[in-house]
Amino acid sequence: MPNRYWYIIAIYIAAQLSSIVGVPLLMAVGLEKGIAITSWAVFSFFIATLIILFLLKPDMKQASMQRDRSSAGNIALWSFLGVFLAYFAQMIAILIETFVFGIKPGSENTQDLMEFARMSPVFIIVMVLFAPILEEIIFRKIIFGTIYKRSNFIVAVLVSAVAFAASHFDFTHMVVYTAMGIVFAYLYVKTKSIITPIIAHMAMNTVVVIGQYSLSEEDFKRMQDQFDQLQTIFGGFLL
């Protein structure tokens, strides 16, 4: 694996952990805790995205010269189809969690993120732009891509998808996040372009934000009680 990939992984981890220092600093200058968290998240993920995209310039140049890469039209098509594939996989995963493992529908991780978005709407940029870009680069391009070159699709997709699921720290719903990781890896292989899963990932998160932004936590729980797993299936998970 190229050294720049290790740098990219380190930068991603640093961005995740930087809030330990950044949030208290912002609170020290007078920002309320919730605003400090969202403001630092936007800043740290923005900087991380810029640095990581700069480090990936050699890969971008190589990809532009790749003959078997899908055309722009094919990438657009599979990005669109990928959203439906991801939602179908999510629905199957939720049904498995509900009826096989007895796990209640609903993601605390998603609801916590949406609470931050309602508190500070600028945080939505992290969920629909920075997070999809960084996660697809880390888990699909680097982790999946590296293992896929040395092994096979099944091994690569399982390792990368489970790592993707674990990174959300929503261990109750590992099946759902793993299913999403499998779909995004398939889109990457199908088009040989990381742009495809990035767009599909962005679209998924955008749909979830639009669907849940106006709902308070109390509204969500009330609807979940009324519609059980059906509401969660259509509400979706933030990835």
Side-chain angles (χ1 to χ4, degrees):
M1 187 163 69
N3 286 336
R4 66 179 178 277
Y5 285 2
W6 290 112
Y7 298 150
I8 288 171
I9 292 173
I11 291 167
Y12 176 73
I13 294 173
Q16 297 276 17
L17 298 178
S18 65
S19 60
I20 296 174
V21 175
V23 171
L25 286 176
L26 293 181
M27 292 176 65
V29 298
L31 291 184
E32 185 269 334
K33 184 177 180 180
I35 300 300
I37 291 173
T38 55
S39 298
W40 186 261
V42 172
F43 171 75
S44 61
F45 274 81
F46 172 67
I47 297 299
T49 301
L50 288 181
I51 296 173
I52 287 173
L53 290 178
F54 176 78
L55 291 173
L56 281 177
K57 286 180 69 175
D59 297 75
M60 296 176 189
K61 184 177 180 180
Q62 183 180 1
S64 66
M65 297 185 294
Q66 191 175 344
R67 293 184 178 181
D68 59 348
R69 183 189 185 194
S70 292
S71 65
N74 203 40
I75 289 173
L77 174 63
W78 278 101
S79 298
F80 175 75
L81 294 176
V83 176
F84 293 95
L85 287 175
Y87 259 106
F88 178 74
Q90 180 174 276
M91 290 185 345
I92 296 299
I94 290 174
L95 291 174
I96 291 173
E97 285 188 346
T98 302
F99 296 109
V100 176
F101 299 110
I103 298 172
K104 282 190 66 175
S107 168
E108 290 186 12
N109 176 62
T110 297
Q111 290 309 301
D112 289 342
L113 292 174
M114 288 306 306
E115 283 302 306
F116 283 126
R118 296 183 190 100
M119 185 185 309
S120 181
V122 70
F123 183 69
I124 293 174
I125 297 175
V126 173
M127 297 187 291
V128 304
L129 183 62
F130 299 145
I133 291 174
L134 295 178
E135 289 176 358
E136 293 311 310
I137 288 173
I138 297 294
F139 297 104
R140 250 60 68 185
K141 181 171 182 61
I142 295 179
I143 297 179
F144 170 81
T146 299
I147 298 175
Y148 187 44
K149 289 178 181 178
R150 301 183 179 183
S151 183
N152 56 55
F153 180 82
I154 294 176
V155 173
V157 77
L158 287 179
V159 172
S160 60
V162 170
F164 172 68
S167 72
H168 290 80
F169 296 98
D170 193 358
F171 299 107
T172 303
H173 297 289
M174 285 288 288
V175 175
V176 172
Y177 290 103
T178 298
M180 298 296 96
I182 292 172
V183 171
F184 294 143
Y186 171 77
L187 295 174
Y188 181 34
V189 171
K190 181 68 179 179
T191 61
K192 295 181 174 60
S193 173
I194 195 62
I195 295 174
T196 311
I198 286 176
I199 294 175
H201 195 154
M202 286 180 176
M204 284 284 294
N205 281 11
T206 299
V207 170
V208 174
V209 169
I210 292 173
Q212 298 193 21
Y213 184 78
S214 62
L215 297 177
S216 67
E217 187 174 356
E218 292 73 21
D219 291 333
F220 183 85
K221 289 180 178 179
R222 183 167 58 253
M223 291 177 69
Q224 186 175 319
D225 290 338
Q226 293 173 350
F227 297 106
D228 197 23
Q229 72 270 15
L230 196 59
Q231 192 277 333
T232 305
I233 289 174
F234 289 107
F237 283 64
L238 279 169
L239 307 171

